[in-house]
């Protein structure tokens, strides 16, 4: 007796035929019943399962025997284990590659820090640089956009009556720019002891930088020489931003450009020079394009006009305060936008002696 979700009364079904007649029909019915009963998936058993047990009984195909099922499960486990081994190997390989990359990056960063320290040591950074010389006051700052930049400044006494001061911007960044900057600075310091004019100095420096310049690097630069007892300044602008003159009771103004090309491009260029006379209290402001080409979050440029306006507000300050204030205003203008270019500023004020009310 099989439990069933329905109640029913069994009915015995018989097929009858006259004696000795219709045997072929009965035989056919018996054959069909035998065939239906021999096939577990036949409608005979499906009907019994539906009406007696109330469900369709699931009959698995022959190929899903316990042995085959076990083999399939083992195969799937082996495949998963194989993938797991491959993934673990890939993780080890990538981890090792990442470790090597990090070590190389840390090594490069360490070398850049050393290079940056060496580069900064090449620039004068003790102020006031000439405590016993009261005829002038000079101050400078530099802020590389990367660990090692290409901007430079320098100042040194050629003799007791002549002060050379320069500012420049190498065409590239990083260690190559720093090396090119150091070479330029060294050449100027060496040649300035032999030549008395800014254009003559840059003529020789340009020839040295242009020869075998496979890197195709160049440097824009201003070279100026102050005759201390007279206030005369001779200067050459080699593709650089023009200097700014700040005079008492006058608006700051850009000095005329000599129209010369950057150093290191054409070997046979002959540079020109301009001259001006500084009055007591006059100031010359030199800078690199990292100042005027600083951008804020609205993609607005700091600009040359804004620089003049900000200098005008601080024109009565000493060179230290003036320089730091301009640098501060550039950073405030840029807001949270990362610095994209090196910034260098050098400011010189002429103060011959107390008789002029410096």
């Amino acid at each position: 007796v099989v439990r069933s979700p329905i109640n029913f009364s069994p009915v015995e079904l018989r097929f009858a035929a006259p004696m000795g007649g219709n045997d072929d029909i009965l035989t056919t019915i018996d054959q069909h019943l035998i065939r239906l009963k021999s096939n577990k998936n036949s409608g005979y058993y499906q009907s019994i399962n539906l009406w007696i047990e109330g469900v369709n009984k699931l009959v698995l195909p022959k190929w899903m025997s316990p042995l085959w099922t076990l083999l399939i499960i083992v195969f799937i486990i082996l495949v998963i284990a194989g993938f797991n081994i491959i993934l673990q190997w890939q993780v080890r390989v990538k981890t090792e590659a990442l470790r090597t990359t990090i070590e190389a990056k840390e090594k490069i960063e360490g070398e850049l820090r050393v290079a940056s320290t060496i580069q900064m040591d090449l620039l004068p950074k003790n102020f006031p640089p000439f405590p016993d010389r009261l005829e002038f006051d000079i101050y400078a700052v530099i802020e590389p956009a990367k660990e090692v930049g290409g901007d430079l400044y320098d100042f040194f006494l050629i003799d007791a009556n002549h002060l050379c001061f320069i500012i420049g911007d190498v065409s590239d960044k990083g260690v190559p720019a720093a090396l090119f900057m150091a070479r330029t600075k060294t050449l100027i310091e060496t040649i300035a002891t032999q030549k008395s004019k800014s254009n003559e100095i840059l003529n020789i420096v340009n020839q040295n930088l242009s020869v075998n310049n496979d890197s195709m690097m160049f440097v824009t630069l201003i070279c100026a020489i102050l005759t201390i007892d007279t206030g005369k300044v001779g200067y050459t602008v080699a593709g650089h931003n023009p200097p700014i003159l700040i005079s008492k009771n006058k608006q700051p103004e850009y000095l005329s450009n000599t129209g010369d090309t950057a150093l290191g491009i054409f070997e046979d260029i002959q540079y020109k020079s301009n001259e001006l006379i500084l009055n007591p209290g006059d100031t010359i402001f030199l800078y690199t394009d990292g100042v005027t080409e600083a951008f804020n979050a609205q993609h607005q440029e700091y600009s040359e006009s804004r620089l003049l306006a900000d200098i005008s507000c601080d024109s009565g300050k000493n060179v230290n305060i003036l320089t730091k204030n301009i640098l501060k205003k550039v950073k405030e203008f840029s807001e949270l936008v990362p610095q994209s270019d090196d910034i260098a500023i050098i400011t010189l004020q002429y103060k011959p002696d107390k008789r002029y009310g410096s």
Side-chain angles (χ1 to χ4, degrees), residues 198-207 267 269-271:
S198 59
N199 63 318
E200 294 175 346
I201 295 172
L202 295 193
N203 283 339
I204 300 176
V205 171
N206 177 65
Q207 290 172 5
E267 181 181 352
I269 289 179
Q270 294 298 306
Y271 289 86

Side-chain angles (χ1 to χ4, degrees), residues 18 205 277 286-287:
V205 171
I277 301 296
L286 309 180
Y287 62 96

Side-chain angles (χ1 to χ4, degrees), residues 3 6 53 58 69 76 118 120 141 155 167 177 185 191-192 220 242 269 287 293 295 316 323 326 337 341:
R3 287 183 176 276
I6 62 174
E53 299 185 14
L58 177 64
T69 302
I76 293 174
I118 295 173
M120 292 299 104
V141 294
F155 48 84
I167 193 167
K185 178 179 177 296
I191 298 168
T220 65
I269 289 179
Y287 62 96
E293 295 180 5
F295 287 88
T323 303
I326 294 301
V337 176
D341 198 2

Side-chain angles (χ1 to χ4, degrees), residues 2 18 44 58 60 103 105 114 125-126 177 194 215 242 290 302 320 327:
V2 180
Y44 174 82
L58 177 64
L60 297 176
E103 290 178 352
K105 182 176 181 292
V114 173
K125 55 183 180 296
N126 295 322
Q194 307 166 12
S215 64
Y302 183 74
N320 187 314
L327 182 61

Side-chain angles (χ1 to χ4, degrees), residues 35-107:
R35 187 168 62 252
L36 288 172
K37 289 183 177 181
S38 65
N39 183 5
K40 298 296 182 181
N41 291 322
S42 68
Y44 174 82
Y45 289 103
Q46 291 177 6
S47 178
I48 289 176
N49 289 335
L50 177 62
W51 294 107
I52 296 180
E53 299 185 14
V55 294
N56 284 322
K57 208 169 185 181
L58 177 64
V59 179
L60 297 176
K62 293 181 179 180
W63 62 269
M64 292 188 67
S65 64
L67 178 60
W68 279 106
T69 302
L70 178 62
L71 290 176
I72 291 173
I73 293 173
V74 171
F75 175 75
I76 293 174
I77 292 174
L78 290 176
V79 170
I80 294 174
F83 275 117
N84 187 46
I85 293 173
I86 293 173
L87 288 175
Q88 290 179 350
W89 174 76
Q90 290 180 338
V91 169
R92 286 196 299 270
V93 170
K94 291 184 180 297
T95 302
E96 181 63 23
L98 180 61
R99 184 184 64 81
T100 303
T101 301
I102 292 174
E103 290 178 352
K105 182 176 181 292
E106 290 176 346
K107 181 179 179 181

Side-chain angles (χ1 to χ4, degrees), residues 171-204:
S171 59
D172 202 355
K173 301 291 181 290
V175 175
L179 295 174
F180 199 83
M181 177 272 282
R183 184 184 176 196
T184 302
K185 178 179 177 296
T186 303
L187 283 170
I188 292 175
E189 289 178 348
T190 302
I191 298 168
T193 60
Q194 307 166 12
K195 299 293 181 179
S196 60
K197 294 184 177 181
S198 59
N199 63 318
E200 294 175 346
I201 295 172
L202 295 193
N203 283 339
I204 300 176

Side-chain angles (χ1 to χ4, degrees), residues 123-125 127 140-142 152-155 166-167 185 346:
L123 305 177
K125 55 183 180 296
F127 299 97
V141 294
I142 186 168
L152 71 144
Y153 70 80
D154 195 11
F155 48 84
I166 64 171
I167 193 167
K185 178 179 177 296
I346 182 169

